[in-house]
Amino acid sequence: MQGVFVTGPPGVGKTTLVVKVTSRLKEAGVRVVGFYTLEDREGGVRVGFRLVNVNNGEWRWLAHVNKVQGPMVGKYHVDINAIEWGLTLLNEVGDLYVIDEVGPMEMKHPSFLRNIESIINSKRFLITVHVRMSNWVNSYLSLSKILKLSYANRDAAVNEALNYLKVLLNKPS
């Protein structure tokens, strides 16, 4: 098996799991590359999403309600250049490749899925998958562990993903 897929409904904690797991793995000496996605709120209302480099916190707007160009997903205009930037992060050399997430916004990039499938087939990974894309994950069952996150299991899932990845990466607990 090559890695871990994390699925679950919006807001359940997929990104939180990614941030916690990658932080602990980096402390253990694992070279982690890739990105996670944070939502941005103003006055309690979600206005956009940022792609964030797992290593240095540098970020780009993935989508925002105030952008005037780019394909639409719901009320958000998606910035294809930001997705391209996220994909370039995956060209770095690492022990673990992090992609948060595979979802409708990211799919607006014409070669996003092809790039992600290349990672899945050749690297160790931690990938979150939007609920709309969960059927796509089924084609990779033999290469991965799938964690279906819920409010009941999300705390335990952090340790489950961490322990699984440590074994996969040959890092002692």
Side-chain angles (χ1 to χ4, degrees), residues 72-141:
M72 297 285 293
V73 173
K75 63 182 179 180
Y76 307 99
H77 283 275
V78 177
D79 186 340
I80 300 299
N81 291 326
I83 298 169
E84 186 66 32
W85 173 78
L87 290 172
T88 66
L89 299 175
L90 300 173
N91 293 330
E92 297 175 20
V93 175
D95 301 316
L96 181 70
Y97 292 76
V98 175
I99 300 146
D100 173 38
E101 78 179 352
V102 176
M105 290 183 186
E106 294 81 6
M107 296 304 289
K108 295 298 182 182
H109 187 284
S111 64
F112 181 80
L113 198 55
R114 185 172 58 245
N115 280 271
I116 301 316
E117 289 172 338
S118 173
I119 296 288
I120 292 167
N121 289 317
S122 63
K123 312 281 189 211
R124 304 289 190 239
F125 61 84
L126 173 59
I127 299 175
T128 65
V129 181
H130 189 281
V131 70
R132 290 189 200 161
M133 297 292 296
S134 28
N135 286 338
W136 168 78
V137 172
N138 292 335
S139 59
Y140 294 101
L141 290 175

Side-chain angles (χ1 to χ4, degrees), residues 2-6 13-33 35-36 54-55 95-100 124-128 145 147 149 153-169 171-172:
Q2 298 285 330
V4 175
F5 287 108
V6 181
K14 295 182 294 293
T15 299
T16 300
L17 179 143
V18 166
V19 170
K20 288 178 178 179
V21 168
T22 56
S23 174
R24 292 182 191 166
L25 288 173
K26 287 192 293 188
E27 289 170 2
V30 175
R31 292 176 300 166
V32 179
V33 298
F35 59 87
Y36 58 89
V54 297
N55 283 310
D95 301 316
L96 181 70
Y97 292 76
V98 175
I99 300 146
D100 173 38
R124 304 289 190 239
F125 61 84
L126 173 59
I127 299 175
T128 65
K145 178 174 190 66
L147 293 176
L149 219 54
N153 75 351
R154 66 184 182 179
D155 294 329
V158 170
N159 287 329
E160 186 176 352
L162 183 62
N163 292 334
Y164 181 83
L165 289 168
K166 280 183 173 181
V167 168
L168 195 64
L169 297 162
K171 292 291 180 186

